[in-house]
Amino acid sequence: MLSVRDLKVSYGGIEALKGIDLDVEEGKIVALIGANGAGKSTTLRSIVGLVKPESGTINYQGQDLTKMETENLVNMGITLVPEGRRVFDNLTVLENLKIGAFSRKDEKNIKNDLEWIYSLFPRLKERTWQLAGTLSGGEQQMLAVGRALMSRPKLLMMDEPSLGLAPLVVKEIFNIIQQIHKEHGVTILLIEQNANVSLRIADKAYVLETGKITLEGTGAELLANEDVKKAYLGESVHHG
């Protein structure tokens, strides 16, 4: 579905990505883990056109994305849930969700999808008319995911969905991610500070260190890898 080859990105002469390769197969969950500053967010931002690569290719279902505008990618089925949630604070829950469907014209299906989102996140239904800025952090994350799903993505990319959330809320969010994947066949590319949780649900995973992919394998293989355990799975260690 998605193939990234020799992707290089620089900021002011500093190499953020040094020629990375990664693949996302359709119907899979792929995790990208690494320390803060490794280049994880840059990778996602490059895929959706928010950062222009210095060189390399980003191929999605046979099309080169490197010269496409971000808004066109949504119509192709690619959606990003950004780090920090970034909901529209002064709009209601419902208004935020409808923004996720801005490119769609199928009003009946939009209504059905709203009900689907509310079934995934009952707390959002209870807060339909509440301003998004007054929601808790966990509720805002649910809203950010719901807003992304309203575009009916084929590839859902998520940047640190558990950042700043309590453990119980993290568990709830990851249960929803698995439900979206299993019941609706959405392909997911996930970068996450909680490597332990993300590797447990990942079909494939990559370790990114200072702009380079240093390890890859199944989620289970990386969970069992001693280097990964030491660097990313310590109980008191958190990586962004």
Side-chain angles (χ1 to χ4, degrees):
M1 175 181 258
L2 179 74
S3 177
V4 175
R5 289 292 176 270
D6 197 27
L7 187 67
K8 297 180 181 179
V9 175
S10 296
Y11 297 113
I14 298 173
E15 285 186 306
L17 297 178
K18 303 174 182 179
I20 69 167
D21 297 341
L22 66 87
D23 294 291
V24 180
E25 291 185 31
E26 187 169 1
K28 303 294 186 182
I29 296 177
V30 176
L32 182 61
I33 67 170
N36 186 41
K40 304 187 307 298
S41 292
T42 296
T43 301
L44 295 195
R45 289 170 62 83
S46 298
I47 293 170
V48 297
L50 296 174
V51 174
K52 295 301 179 184
E54 185 177 338
S55 62
T57 60
I58 304 168
N59 190 286
Y60 173 76
Q61 293 186 328
Q63 298 188 64
D64 183 5
L65 303 185
T66 53
K67 294 180 175 61
M68 291 190 181
E69 298 299 324
T70 301
E71 55 265 29
N72 295 331
L73 303 187
V74 175
N75 294 328
M76 294 172 65
I78 303 173
T79 304
L80 171 65
V81 180
E83 181 183 354
R85 301 175 275 278
R86 299 185 190 178
V87 298
F88 296 96
D89 290 351
N90 294 324
L91 299 180
T92 67
V93 167
L94 179 60
E95 289 167 335
N96 269 271
L97 291 174
K98 285 186 174 180
I99 285 174
F102 77 94
S103 64
R104 296 173 55 185
K105 308 298 182 187
D106 50 335
E107 293 298 328
K108 182 178 179 180
N109 288 329
I110 289 173
K111 184 177 180 181
N112 290 338
D113 286 349
L114 273 172
E115 291 306 314
W116 170 49
I117 299 302
Y118 285 147
S119 71
L120 288 173
F121 303 109
R123 271 182 281 178
L124 295 184
K125 187 169 186 177
E126 295 169 4
R127 292 157 174 74
T128 298
W129 303 109
Q130 188 170 327
L131 293 180
T134 66
L135 299 175
S136 69
E139 290 163 349
Q140 288 188 4
Q141 186 63 67
M142 294 173 191
L143 180 56
V145 175
R147 182 180 62 192
L149 291 174
M150 285 298 295
S151 69
R152 286 197 170 183
K154 298 174 184 174
L155 173 61
L156 178 64
M157 300 193 297
M158 310 182 78
D159 191 347
E160 308 281 18
S162 79
L163 187 65
L165 302 182
L168 284 176
V169 179
V170 172
K171 183 178 180 180
E172 185 175 358
I173 292 291
F174 272 82
N175 284 340
I176 293 295
I177 291 171
Q178 289 179 283
Q179 184 178 345
I180 294 165
H181 170 249
K182 290 178 180 178
E183 296 182 8
H184 299 275
V186 179
T187 304
I188 295 171
L189 175 57
L190 170 72
I191 65 176
E192 174 54 55
Q193 67 167 348
N194 192 329
N196 192 21
V197 175
S198 59
L199 291 177
R200 289 186 186 280
I201 69 169
D203 299 296
K204 180 72 180 286
Y206 296 86
V207 176
L208 184 62
E209 295 181 356
T210 57
K212 295 181 178 180
I213 299 290
T214 57
L215 279 173
E216 64 179 271
T218 66
E221 286 170 345
L222 294 195
L223 271 175
N225 184 285
E226 292 301 323
D227 291 335
V228 172
K229 286 181 180 180
K230 182 178 179 180
Y232 303 110
L233 303 181
E235 291 183 4
S236 61
V237 177
H238 287 279
H239 298 271

